[in-house]
Amino acid sequence: MVGYTFLLILLLSAVGFVLNRNAAQELRAGGSRLHSLPVFHGGYALALAGLPALIFVLLWLMFEGSFVSALVRASLPAEAVAGLGAGELSLIMAEVQQTASGLIFGEPAQYVRDAAAYYNTLHSISDWAMFALVLFILAGGIFLARRSVATEFRARQRVEKVLSGLMIFASVIAIFTTIGIVASLVFEAARFFALVPITDFLFGTAWEPQIAIRPDQIAGAGAFGWLPVILGTLVITFIALLVAVPVGLLSAIYLNEFASPLLRKIAKPILEVLAGVPTVVYGFFAILVVAPALRSFGGDTLGLPISPNTALAAGSVMGVMLIPFISSFADDALTAVPRSMRDGSLALGATQSETVLKVLFPAAIPGIVGGVLLAVSRAIGETMIVVMAAGLIATLTINPLDSVTTVTVQIVTLLIGDTSFDNPKTLAAFALGLMLFIVTLALNVVALRVVRKYRELYD
Amino acid sequence: MTTTTTNAGADWKSPEAAARVRKRHAGDLRLKFAGMAALGFAVLMLAILLVSLFANGYQALRQTHASVTFELSAEHIDAADPQRGNYRAIVQDAVQGLFPGIDNPGELRSAVGILSNGAQNALRSIALNDPSLIGQEVTIDVPLSDPYDQLAKGLVDRDSPEDQRRLKDADIALFDTLQARDVVSLPINWALVTNADSRFPELAGLQGAIWGSFYALLVCFVLSFPTGIAAGIYLEEFAPKNRLTDIVEININNLAAVPSVVFGLLALAVFIGWFGMPRSAPLVGGMTLALMTLPTIIIATRAALKAVPPSIREAALGVGASKHQVVLTHVLPLAMPGILTGTIIGLAQALGETAPLLLIGMNAFITEAPSSLVDSSTALPTQIFIWADSPERGFVARTSAAILVLLAFLIAMNAVAVFLRSRFERRY
């Protein structure tokens, strides 16, 4: 039904476009001088009929689900739902919806069957009502647009105004997205902080995200202190930078200063390939190759106590992922240093390495620092590598051989397979998400500012 | 007149000076070698990554099959209702026929394990398609189950102690009798792309994941392409320089750097929690990916528009076109190759994105391909994640093969982007 509605909008808008354009062409063929080209008259019909219909359908679909659910929930017999909590009620509603879609498990109660039938009736009523109303809106739009075709009618200005409005709307979506992120994170995190005091979260040194299944369960309360989690994140980030910064910087210097143009032409795309590999592939690489290699080399050969999912594996693979990131930023920064500085240094008799290390590198430092900050933000927010290769248990340690967990790992494990938003366990993920967003946003803002300042310096 | 003071003490020809110069030039060499080593390390890592994927993945490109004759006896299948036949018994009979030496039920049960569970499904669909075959014998190629598949590919060390192997000596003997009868074959594993997910490695395929990714990318494209172009055009061509457009621009730059898992949280809270959209649906996945791809497309659009020379705008304005007409009929068509290139690269990134899809539940275990945008489904990267988590030995090779499939799609998309760029890019 929804598909047909969209098809209807598409078809009738096209009909309106053609009708209006032809009408305008006839006017022109009759010898009158039009203010706007016929195609704009057509566009006017498109905007007057298709746009309101589209907005209407989207709004309808957005609110239909919750409205129907509310009606069905209200229709449930009072004796069946008396004294039930929100969680149990949503379970019943899920059962109703499954029964309504034909997935029947076991023997649903009679009132569930009734509610499911009611649910289906409401949905089909809603679908037909939407279809009829859309038809009405489209017909009205076409009629109004067709009536307004006249030689003096300023169709072009109207169409351009609509276009501008649409373009402004598209640009503002970015703001909406940010608002949506902040609102959802803050809203759910606030619910979390209502259950767990914010000081416990910020300064607690134990992270055991459990919830009591029975009210009297011993040690079922769990602990929600994020310090071990963020410490683990920082350990892995540090290892990643330890790999990525020297390798990235040195390869950028080499490609920029020493390599032949041919080598540059070959090596740069190879580095880009490294950047284009999906992170889930790096995660698999970490557990398939790097972790076993570290275990057999460090554990068996050197006799180090290496944990199976050591921070080293996740960190070093993340470092490999960040190499192209650092090297492209360093490359840009080195290229941006004015030629005169390089020439001046060489003319004074400095060798190439002295020029690079004592003149170009210091001049490029701000750009490189900006790139490194962005890489830190990437490493903190990186999810798949650590989900696959790092640990789940939060321990307060900075030993890279141990298994540590990260903010993103906790977010993913807390939310996989669990949807009820009313316990601290799932809500904790949003609190962690909020902290993650704040930290990475701060890093990004600072980094972008540093990079931009530096560009202005030499422009 | 003063005498110019030359650095009389410095003798540039002395051995000490020569040593100093050598030392300074040695610094050049050191830096050069360090750079080469760094670059070599990066390339080596990429090589190890690819080689390990190929070395593991090629195993899953073939699958051991055995051609077995089954009797669809009417005793086990009711011709009126082939759906509910006792196919397990038919497979058992066939295995008994293969190994006449087996006489106790326990041995027979473990011998049945040599054939994949898919054999029953294959027989059921044969009986459903053509009920006239019931009562007759059919000979089909059925996949062997995973441990025997490993054995056939030589991945099981026959000399290792028996208690360290999944297959006991008796099992291996059964397999050897099969092989001696020349019914075992190792064809190309098309099931990898034509089957949906399964708990059994020998049956598991990517069909569901490929369709899920396709639907999600379709939604992502339909939403982000027009929106991104519209926003890019507005910001580049029309927007006044004021606070609001500044904020929009900073916003877009920041959105491009927000961790992907945060977009997953947004989708979970807003799309699923507040709007009540279905979990695990490619529609929600596509909407989330669209939000992430939008900044890429906007930035690419702006760069492409910037590259169109002002002379074209001025010429169009000069013959009386309005600002909108100039952009829509002159500038945008010229910028389109650049925009398309950026869009394809953005979509390729979206195809590899995993974390947000995990949070909206696209890691469910689903055994059939989605038939619409709101059906539960997985996507290619989440399927890789699921398989990487599976303990069965056969899934290691299948995960690598799935990654190869994903990389093949990514390479194809990037190749299209490179082609577009080289074919249509104009220099003014």
Side-chain angles (χ1 to χ4, degrees), chain B residues 214-353:
Chain B
F214 172 75
Y215 281 134
L217 278 193
L218 188 72
V219 172
C220 172
F221 175 76
V222 166
L223 291 179
S224 63
F225 186 62
T227 322
I229 291 184
I233 291 179
Y234 181 74
L235 292 174
E236 192 61 36
E237 302 280 339
F238 295 100
K241 267 267 158 238
N242 60 24
R243 259 191 100 74
L244 183 72
T245 48
D246 265 3
I247 293 177
V248 171
E249 266 179 51
I250 293 172
N251 237 307
I252 290 170
N253 284 335
N254 276 329
L255 271 187
V258 167
S260 59
V261 70
V262 171
F263 282 96
L265 288 173
L266 165 80
L268 184 61
V270 175
F271 296 153
I272 294 178
W274 297 352
F275 292 163
M277 292 175 138
R279 268 176 80 83
S280 310
L283 176 68
V284 181
M287 287 168 70
T288 318
L289 295 178
L291 291 182
M292 301 179 59
T293 315
L294 201 53
T296 316
I297 298 183
I298 293 177
I299 292 167
T301 304
R302 297 189 61 173
L305 289 174
K306 219 176 257 168
V308 177
S311 57
I312 286 173
R313 292 185 181 81
E314 282 150 16
L317 283 171
V319 292
S322 74
K323 188 108 207 271
H324 281 79
Q325 283 171 317
V326 171
V327 172
L328 289 183
T329 60
H330 288 74
V331 181
L332 190 59
L334 288 175
M336 217 46 180
I339 298 176
L340 280 176
T341 308
T343 306
I344 293 171
I345 289 172
L347 287 178
Q349 274 170 11
L351 178 60
E353 207 52 74

Side-chain angles (χ1 to χ4, degrees), chain A residues 40 156 160 164 168 170-171 173 175 178 180-181 254 278 280 284-285 288 349 351-354 384 415 419 444, chain B residues 24 27-28 36 38 46 49 56 227 234 238 248 251 257 259 261 265-266 279 322 324-325 354 388 399-400 403 410:
Chain A
F40 284 108
R156 182 171 67 78
E160 288 182 352
S164 292
I168 291 176
S171 327
I173 282 183
I175 293 189
T178 311
I181 289 175
Y254 180 71
V280 67
F284 186 63
F285 178 60
L288 184 73
T351 65
Q352 213 166 357
S353 67
E354 284 162 352
M384 288 323 293
L415 286 178
T419 44
N444 291 338
Chain B
R24 287 174 58 205
D28 266 16
M36 271 157 95
L46 183 63
L49 174 71
N56 275 290
T227 322
Y234 181 74
F238 295 100
V248 171
N251 237 307
V261 70
L265 288 173
L266 165 80
R279 268 176 80 83
S322 74
H324 281 79
Q325 283 171 317
T354 323
T399 312
S400 304
I403 288 176
L410 290 181

